Amino acid sequence: MTRLLLALAALLTVATPASGQLVVQKGERPPRRPEAECTEIFLPPAGDTTRGVYWEPTPRRMVLIDVKPPKQYVNAPIVMRMHVDRRGVVDSIDVTGISDSGFVRQLRKFSRGFSFMPTMYQACAVPGWTTMQFSFGAPKPGQRVWPDD
């Protein structure tokens, strides 16, 4: 009986985050609620005291960035932070690691072709942010090209 209570307490601790804590959930997403039920649901902003779990946007379709970067950006780390709307469409992009505005414009153009499964919160698709870090150049020996390599 004691083991059962301890197991139940551990499960509740994982499933119910502490007050003021929003936790990123990994793995299978919950069934989605109808769009009509989700019009007033949004992911709480950072620093909000709401607690719960959510799923970040995950790529559905990626577009190969077919552009030659300026020499100074070959093998340099580039970070793209993208805002994904309820439909999974990228509607805003911040790029760091590059100061060349023309090249940033090209990256923004290509990233508009990305498609995501949107952020999920309370079984509703909501707008949210995702980050992608990459570099241009040949992979180094032993470096994985795709996450599942």
Side-chain angles (χ1 to χ4, degrees), residues 7-21:
L8 184 58
L11 180 64
L12 289 174
T13 303
V14 171
T16 310
S19 176
Q21 192 176 16

Side-chain angles (χ1 to χ4, degrees), residues 7-36:
L8 184 58
L11 180 64
L12 289 174
T13 303
V14 171
T16 310
S19 176
Q21 192 176 16
L22 215 69
V23 177
V24 176
Q25 187 70 32
K26 302 289 183 192
E28 192 173 332
R29 292 166 171 245
R32 208 159 145 180
R33 289 170 43 189
E35 191 71 32

Side-chain angles (χ1 to χ4, degrees), residues 91-140:
D91 63 7
S92 176
I93 300 134
D94 293 328
V95 180
T96 57
I98 298 177
S99 58
D100 183 326
S101 62
F103 189 56
V104 168
R105 209 173 12 260
Q106 287 180 316
L107 289 176
R108 285 187 174 139
K109 176 184 169 191
F110 280 106
S111 64
R112 300 263 182 215
F114 295 169
S115 178
F116 288 86
M117 289 177 28
T119 302
M120 292 288 289
Y121 179 66
Q122 297 180 3
C124 290
V126 297
W129 288 91
T130 190
T131 303
M132 187 179 299
Q133 185 171 356
F134 60 94
S135 64
F136 291 95
K140 296 175 179 82

Side-chain angles (χ1 to χ4, degrees), residues 33-48:
R33 289 170 43 189
E35 191 71 32
E37 294 178 17
C38 297
T39 56
E40 299 297 318
I41 303 213
F42 293 92
L43 190 62
D48 194 294

Side-chain angles (χ1 to χ4, degrees), residues 57-120:
T58 52
R60 215 184 271 167
R61 181 185 73 230
M62 302 299 283
V63 175
L64 289 176
I65 300 175
D66 187 24
V67 62
K68 188 173 181 177
K71 283 186 178 183
Q72 69 265 32
Y73 300 120
V74 172
N75 294 323
I78 298 168
V79 178
M80 281 181 29
R81 190 165 179 259
M82 297 169 278
H83 189 261
V84 179
D85 70 12
R86 290 178 187 266
R87 298 166 297 145
V89 176
V90 176
D91 63 7
S92 176
I93 300 134
D94 293 328
V95 180
T96 57
I98 298 177
S99 58
D100 183 326
S101 62
F103 189 56
V104 168
R105 209 173 12 260
Q106 287 180 316
L107 289 176
R108 285 187 174 139
K109 176 184 169 191
F110 280 106
S111 64
R112 300 263 182 215
F114 295 169
S115 178
F116 288 86
M117 289 177 28
T119 302
M120 292 288 289

